[in-house]
Amino acid sequence: MTITIDPQRLWNSLMAMAEIGPTENGGSCRLALTDEDAAGRRLFMEWCEALGCTVRIDRIGNLFVRRPGRQNDLDPVGVGSHLDTQPKGGRFDGVLGVLAGLEILRTLHEQGIVTERPLELVVWTNEEGSRFAPAMVASGTYAGRFSVESTLARRDRDGVTLGEALENIRFAGDMPVGKPRFASFLELHIEQGPVLEAAGESIGVVTGVQGMRWFDVTLSGQAAHAGPTPMLSRRDALAAAARLIDRLQAHACHDPDGDSRVTVGCLEIDAPSRNVIPGKVSLTVDLRHTKDGELDALEALFHRELASVGDTFGVTVQSERIWQSPVVHFHQGCIEAVEQAAQWQGVQYRRMMSGAGHDAVNVAAVAPTAMIFVPCRDGISHNEAEYTSPEHCALGTQVLCDALLKRANEA
Amino acid sequence: MTITIDPQRLWNSLMAMAEIGPTENGGSCRLALTDEDAAGRRLFMEWCEALGCTVRIDRIGNLFVRRPGRQNDLDPVGVGSHLDTQPKGGRFDGVLGVLAGLEILRTLHEQGIVTERPLELVVWTNEEGSRFAPAMVASGTYAGRFSVESTLARRDRDGVTLGEALENIRFAGDMPVGKPRFASFLELHIEQGPVLEAAGESIGVVTGVQGMRWFDVTLSGQAAHAGPTPMLSRRDALAAAARLIDRLQAHACHDPDGDSRVTVGCLEIDAPSRNVIPGKVSLTVDLRHTKDGELDALEALFHRELASVGDTFGVTVQSERIWQSPVVHFHQGCIEAVEQAAQWQGVQYRRMMSGAGHDAVNVAAVAPTAMIFVPCRDGISHNEAEYTSPEHCALGTQVLCDALLKRANEA
């Protein structure tokens, strides 16, 4: 039996979703639980309801679209991703995983195919973490990492809680968080890195996800007039921050494995003025590695360098680890289902670790899980220029379909 | 004839002015032409009018307080500074030079003393440059460096022009800009650096001002997801900025003369997010040196380092020199009047170059000019913690008084 998804219908859906919260340069802006996110969710729900599926919403706004199987007393096989974006996000990050699941439901519906286990297509709330830190908070709550109450109480920069934002857009559901449990869970996603494209490969069989740690750092020196303060008398918080960033970058760039990742994404000077030596600087640090032991070493190096610039520049330093995610290894059976599906397509693929966090990382704590990557142009993501070709979107969706059906029809 | 100023009256006026636009930690916030600046100006004008002086306002809001002399057909001797502050400024920067002039007028009034030349106490508009760039724009316009029209059209961050701000607070006067001309001009100011305090000296006889150049810099790389983008594939605009800052700092700190000054006071990431590699960073660069040739060399180094980080990090770089002020050498006769006055007081003093720009730099282009410095605690300025002792305020005012009377009574 050959079940083939419809590449054009998939692409049309992706482009239609991108018209919600469009940005100047062709990307999308649907920050979690804003009006744009709500509009994207409603469009998605209309599409699902047209297939006769039932949409349920849990207390933290996760959407669950059920397609019954032959044995509805069995746990469903889950598939999905997220619809929220970065402030200047692309058209594929998250959206592809959701709309690939929709395309599979449409194909099954069209062909009148019923799986053994029921299917459950999921849209996770606030994956990006741009509006409410941390990222992937809703799948983390589903997996029991956070309490529902603490998640509802997370605040954005304007002080609005996640719970209030859910109420505002009428997406606070009543299904208990953590339901339903999955027999398996699969997530298709764009790679968000340049590895597949550079190697000329079409599918990444994702075997796990690198560990990540997030820090908030403050450097406090002494604001003073730029002109008359001799260089050696200064306690310049920005000069200290610059040295810290440069040292961490240099270390990560010379890591022989190439598996260290260091990113300072935010940096703010307190009361900046062009002729005032910065007295206080706040910045974020994002550390990642594919091995927990190496990530420990990277964190230790970060703390040493931070202390060192504190001494050198006469600034006091503070750092707080606000979030972490250990290295995750996916489920062998799920990985093999994906690998087999890739082989069926006869395309070049590789087993690889994900460099980014995904909702599947959280789900992996409570259900057999794996992921599929497709290349994205120049490895660019979290950016309006993000692009994956219609062919790669379709290929990833077909591999997802085949792996999903394998898991859904297994004994 | 001994003319002695009143230290307590001077101090009381300084503390009264500091109550206008007070900040949380004991400083002042009177950004140029805000309601707070207007309130400070009105208090000052009341004090002057109580002495029978006439206050005139020019088209760009500079205040001129005239005290007649015996020969009112001669050009007056000028004295003054500014009342505007940084966002978190101190109680002495600028204010001391204005209220020292007021204290001298009060002393002369009390003792019934009339000088040969008339005296003119000046408050210059927008010295700090915090609200309207560049700094010292109004004394620069007085000296003919900028047209009145261009100055009135300068905009703050909210798009309000300097002209509109003047109208809003009713300080747009009708006196032509550039009047009156001064026979001499003297400005007392806190040092805003640590040199006098460290040497145990009480007076700086300021012989000139270092040259300064201001740049706006933009680094444009590629925003991308923090996790899956290998370090060596990145075009991280913040990493490039950090390297630039670190290189410039290192150079200035190792300058054998100790006369180079490099400051990055503002740095902003476009659309910052903790898990996005910064794609675009804007920053300011402030370069200063006591010798024009060395300042040329420092600027050349800055351009080389900027090009170098552009190459290294794969980012495009842009820089624009938005303002410059060459090295200034003050007038020998004025310098000698100040030095003689310092010697009369029998205190430790030094001849020195100013590290900061001052309105006197502009006035020096059109009139014989010099400055007097007094120490400030820990060299701290442009900061709420800025402090100069009552004794040093009084000593500086006395030296200013003696030098002023010498210049006002000379043939």
Side-chain angles (χ1 to χ4, degrees):
Chain A
M1 181 180 71
T2 305
I3 297 168
T4 308
I5 63 101
D6 180 341
Q8 188 62 50
R9 181 170 58 192
L10 169 68
W11 187 255
N12 292 347
S13 302
L14 286 164
M15 295 306 106
M17 184 60 74
E19 290 308 310
I20 300 177
T23 63
E24 210 174 313
N25 300 307
S28 294
C29 179
R30 290 190 305 273
L31 288 172
L33 308 184
T34 56
D35 289 345
E36 290 75 22
D37 187 25
R41 287 161 170 255
R42 283 193 298 268
L43 175 62
F44 168 75
M45 286 163 67
E46 282 169 27
W47 284 336
C48 292
E49 284 159 359
L51 303 175
C53 295
T54 314
V55 181
R56 293 177 297 172
I57 308 178
D58 73 11
R59 289 183 58 208
I60 55 176
N62 295 317
L63 308 184
F64 295 87
V65 178
R66 183 136 181 136
R67 183 170 197 272
R70 288 187 210 285
Q71 302 184 53
N72 290 308
D73 53 331
L74 295 182
D75 283 341
V77 171
V79 58
S81 192
H82 62 95
L83 290 174
D84 69 315
T85 73
Q86 293 280 331
K88 290 185 179 181
R91 297 176 165 222
F92 303 91
D93 176 358
V95 189
L96 175 60
V98 171
L99 299 187
L102 174 70
E103 175 52 34
I104 293 166
L105 297 192
R106 283 172 166 169
T107 301
L108 297 177
H109 181 74
E110 200 172 50
Q111 303 194 15
I113 293 164
V114 179
T115 50
E116 290 300 316
R117 289 180 182 271
L119 300 180
E120 197 85 48
L121 171 54
V122 191
V123 176
W124 302 107
T125 296
N126 188 59
E127 192 271 350
E128 293 291 357
S130 287
R131 182 170 179 196
F132 300 99
M136 299 164 275
V137 69
S139 55
T141 310
Y142 167 87
R145 287 209 171 140
F146 309 111
S147 72
V148 172
E149 287 62 36
S150 69
T151 296
L152 291 171
R154 305 262 177 192
R155 289 183 191 276
D156 69 8
R157 287 178 190 195
D158 298 326
V160 178
T161 66
L162 191 146
E164 288 161 356
L166 277 171
E167 297 287 348
N168 290 344
I169 62 165
R170 301 174 182 275
F171 270 93
D174 50 13
M175 188 161 79
V177 176
K179 302 287 174 191
R181 290 293 175 191
F182 300 124
S184 305
F185 183 81
L186 296 175
E187 182 172 1
L188 168 66
H189 208 281
I190 61 170
E191 180 196 347
Q192 304 183 279
V195 176
L196 291 175
E197 185 183 56
E201 294 160 345
S202 301
I203 292 288
V205 177
V206 187
T207 59
V209 182
Q210 66 190 0
M212 305 162 220
R213 297 180 191 175
W214 282 1
F215 301 85
D216 281 346
V217 179
T218 307
L219 301 110
S220 303
Q222 178 65 63
H225 193 300
T229 310
M231 299 306 292
L232 299 178
S233 306
R234 297 181 174 203
R235 295 171 55 211
D236 184 331
L238 182 63
R243 176 75 54 86
L244 175 70
I245 295 167
D246 199 44
R247 287 282 176 82
L248 294 177
Q249 287 284 326
H251 174 84
C253 289
H254 294 101
D255 167 16
D257 293 337
D259 286 338
S260 295
R261 303 270 189 281
V262 175
T263 306
V264 175
C266 302
L267 184 150
E268 265 188 28
I269 300 168
D270 186 46
S273 184
R274 66 167 71 236
N275 52 356
V276 178
I277 298 162
K280 188 173 171 190
V281 166
S282 306
L283 55 90
T284 62
V285 174
D286 174 318
L287 303 181
R288 307 188 187 209
H289 204 286
T290 53
K291 299 184 197 77
D292 278 323
E294 296 295 315
L295 187 53
D296 287 341
L298 186 60
E299 176 171 347
L301 174 99
F302 157 61
H303 290 303
R304 282 200 306 278
E305 292 291 355
L306 183 61
S308 165
V309 301
D311 286 348
T312 303
F313 290 86
V315 305
T316 56
V317 297
Q318 282 186 299
S319 72
E320 187 187 358
R321 188 164 76 184
I322 61 158
W323 180 69
Q324 65 169 321
S325 177
V327 176
V328 169
H329 300 285
F330 284 147
H331 181 263
Q332 282 310 319
C334 290
I335 294 170
E336 281 158 18
V338 171
E339 185 162 35
Q340 199 171 34
Q343 288 167 346
W344 287 339
Q345 295 301 318
V347 296
Q348 296 292 315
Y349 72 91
R350 76 162 59 197
R351 285 186 171 227
M352 65 191 296
M353 291 285 274
S354 171
H358 294 288
D359 292 309
V361 179
N362 285 322
V363 180
V366 292
T369 296
M371 289 188 73
I372 302 161
F373 277 170
V374 286
C376 58
R377 191 170 61 196
D378 298 331
I380 292 171
S381 177
H382 284 194
N383 186 296
E384 295 165 284
E386 177 183 287
Y387 182 77
T388 290
S389 69
E391 294 70 27
H392 281 134
C393 288
L395 182 64
T397 303
Q398 188 63 53
V399 170
L400 177 68
C401 179
D402 294 344
L404 193 74
L405 292 181
K406 181 170 197 300
R407 297 298 290 178
N409 289 326
E410 268 174 355
Chain B
M1 181 182 71
T2 307
I3 297 167
T4 307
I5 63 102
D6 181 340
Q8 188 62 50
R9 182 170 57 193
L10 170 68
W11 187 256
N12 292 348
S13 300
L14 286 164
M15 295 305 106
M17 184 60 74
E19 290 307 311
I20 299 178
T23 63
E24 210 174 312
N25 300 307
S28 295
C29 178
R30 291 190 305 274
L31 288 172
L33 309 185
T34 56
D35 289 345
E36 291 74 22
D37 187 26
R41 287 163 170 255
R42 283 193 298 270
L43 176 62
F44 169 75
M45 286 164 68
E46 283 169 25
W47 284 337
C48 292
E49 284 158 358
L51 302 175
C53 295
T54 315
V55 181
R56 292 177 297 172
I57 309 179
D58 73 11
R59 289 183 56 208
I60 55 176
N62 295 318
L63 308 184
F64 295 87
V65 178
R66 182 133 183 140
R67 185 172 194 271
R70 289 189 209 284
Q71 303 183 53
N72 289 309
D73 51 333
L74 294 182
D75 283 342
V77 170
V79 58
S81 193
H82 62 95
L83 289 173
D84 70 315
T85 73
Q86 291 279 332
K88 289 185 179 181
R91 297 176 167 223
F92 302 91
D93 176 357
V95 190
L96 176 58
V98 172
L99 299 186
L102 174 70
E103 175 53 33
I104 292 167
L105 297 192
R106 283 171 166 169
T107 300
L108 296 178
H109 180 75
E110 199 173 52
Q111 303 193 16
I113 293 165
V114 180
T115 50
E116 291 299 318
R117 289 179 182 272
L119 300 179
E120 198 84 48
L121 172 54
V122 190
V123 177
W124 301 106
T125 296
N126 189 59
E127 193 272 348
E128 294 291 0
S130 287
R131 183 171 178 195
F132 299 98
M136 300 165 274
V137 69
S139 55
T141 310
Y142 167 87
R145 288 211 171 141
F146 309 111
S147 72
V148 172
E149 287 62 36
S150 71
T151 297
L152 291 171
R154 303 259 177 194
R155 288 182 191 277
D156 69 8
R157 288 178 189 195
D158 298 326
V160 179
T161 66
L162 191 145
E164 289 162 356
L166 277 171
E167 297 286 347
N168 289 343
I169 63 164
R170 301 174 183 276
F171 271 93
D174 51 14
M175 189 162 78
V177 176
K179 302 287 174 189
R181 291 292 173 189
F182 301 125
S184 303
F185 184 80
L186 296 174
E187 182 172 1
L188 169 66
H189 208 281
I190 61 170
E191 181 197 347
Q192 303 182 280
V195 176
L196 291 174
E197 186 183 59
E201 294 161 345
S202 299
I203 292 288
V205 177
V206 186
T207 58
V209 182
Q210 67 190 359
M212 305 163 218
R213 298 180 191 175
W214 282 2
F215 301 85
D216 281 347
V217 179
T218 307
L219 301 110
S220 302
Q222 178 64 63
H225 192 300
T229 310
M231 298 307 291
L232 299 179
S233 307
R234 297 181 175 204
R235 296 170 55 208
D236 184 332
L238 183 63
R243 175 75 54 86
L244 175 70
I245 294 167
D246 198 44
R247 289 281 175 83
L248 294 177
Q249 287 284 326
H251 174 83
C253 289
H254 294 101
D255 167 17
D257 293 337
D259 286 337
S260 296
R261 303 270 189 280
V262 175
T263 306
V264 175
C266 301
L267 185 151
E268 265 188 29
I269 300 168
D270 185 48
S273 184
R274 67 166 71 236
N275 52 357
V276 178
I277 298 162
K280 188 173 171 189
V281 166
S282 306
L283 55 89
T284 62
V285 173
D286 174 319
L287 303 180
R288 308 188 186 209
H289 204 286
T290 54
K291 300 184 195 77
D292 278 323
E294 296 295 315
L295 187 52
D296 287 340
L298 186 60
E299 177 172 346
L301 175 98
F302 157 61
H303 290 302
R304 281 200 306 278
E305 292 292 355
L306 183 61
S308 165
V309 302
D311 285 348
T312 304
F313 290 87
V315 304
T316 56
V317 297
Q318 282 186 297
S319 72
E320 186 186 359
R321 188 165 77 184
I322 60 158
W323 180 70
Q324 65 169 322
S325 176
V327 176
V328 169
H329 299 286
F330 285 147
H331 181 262
Q332 282 309 321
C334 289
I335 294 170
E336 281 159 19
V338 171
E339 186 162 34
Q340 200 172 34
Q343 287 168 346
W344 287 338
Q345 296 301 317
V347 296
Q348 296 291 315
Y349 72 90
R350 75 161 61 195
R351 286 185 171 227
M352 66 192 294
M353 292 285 275
S354 171
H358 295 288
D359 292 310
V361 179
N362 285 322
V363 180
V366 291
T369 296
M371 290 188 73
I372 303 162
F373 277 171
V374 287
C376 58
R377 190 170 62 197
D378 299 331
I380 292 170
S381 177
H382 284 194
N383 187 294
E384 295 164 283
E386 178 183 286
Y387 181 75
T388 290
S389 70
E391 295 71 28
H392 280 135
C393 289
L395 183 63
T397 303
Q398 188 63 54
V399 170
L400 177 67
C401 178
D402 294 343
L404 193 73
L405 293 181
K406 180 169 196 301
R407 296 297 290 177
N409 290 326
E410 268 175 354

